[in-house]
Amino acid sequence: NLVTVYLLVRDAYGAVSTASANITVEIPLLEDDSQLNELVDGLLGSTNDMLKNGDAEGVALAVKGTSAVLNSAQFGSTSKAKADRAKLSNSLGDALDVMAPSGAVVSWIAETLCVVLGVPEETGGDTVNASFGIFGSLLNMSSGLSVKEGLSTYSGASITMGLSSLMGA
């Protein structure tokens, strides 16, 4: 996946400088269960630290990335993956609780939850319950937003797509 990374630097006097670079991001190639478990456990541990430091957006990014790694793994324990997905959905719910309401947040969290739910046979009851709670929060959040605040048909489509993924789990 080709990604453009932007850097914005501002000093105390108001001077601003920017830079950008295109980079290719690849999902890591894992050779066995131990590498998968080490990576997932490390990322799950980092979400707790990020949330304690108020970095809810970082938590959502880590949840999406970790879920993508789980979705691409060709090996591993289904019961461990179910437990990991439950932790990921709970971390995402915790992050959502402290995010400011916006249409972008609604879309982003719904799309991230679709990635968490990416492998139905690895989605257990705890993940399903947490996901229903998250979608309830997203619907509540979006009911108070207007088009001016970023709510769009895209936000609604993201929620619909996420609920469809949840119903398939």
Side-chain angles (χ1 to χ4, degrees):
N1 297 329
L2 185 62
V3 178
T4 303
V5 178
Y6 296 96
L7 174 67
L8 172 69
V9 179
R10 191 172 300 177
D11 70 11
Y13 302 106
V16 177
S17 183
T18 61
S20 67
N22 291 325
I23 61 170
T24 301
V25 179
E26 298 177 5
I27 293 178
L29 297 175
L30 304 173
E31 296 178 10
D32 59 28
D33 286 358
S34 65
Q35 286 182 330
L36 176 65
N37 292 338
E38 183 179 342
L39 177 67
V40 171
D41 292 344
L43 288 169
L44 282 168
S46 71
T47 62
N48 295 331
D49 293 338
M50 284 185 264
L51 203 53
K52 287 177 190 172
N53 292 321
D55 188 5
E57 290 82 8
V59 171
L61 287 170
V63 166
K64 192 170 191 175
T66 305
S67 298
V69 169
L70 283 173
N71 292 350
S72 68
Q74 301 297 314
F75 47 81
S77 161
T78 300
S79 60
K80 171 90 166 76
K82 281 183 180 182
D84 289 341
R85 288 180 193 280
K87 291 175 188 172
L88 289 166
S89 57
N90 287 325
S91 293
L92 190 60
D94 292 343
L96 177 62
D97 289 343
V98 297
M99 290 179 154
S102 74
V105 166
V106 170
S107 299
W108 185 26
I109 298 300
E111 291 168 5
T112 300
L113 200 49
C114 287
V115 180
V116 173
L117 300 167
V119 181
E121 59 270 12
E122 294 178 357
T123 304
D126 291 339
T127 303
V128 169
N129 290 337
S131 299
F132 272 119
I134 291 169
F135 280 115
S137 296
L138 290 175
L139 290 169
N140 285 336
M141 181 184 284
S142 57
S143 69
L145 297 174
S146 67
V147 173
K148 184 173 74 173
E149 295 162 311
L151 193 64
S152 65
T153 54
Y154 182 73
S155 304
S158 297
I159 290 176
T160 302
M161 183 176 68
L163 286 170
S164 296
S165 295
L166 181 57
M167 297 315 291

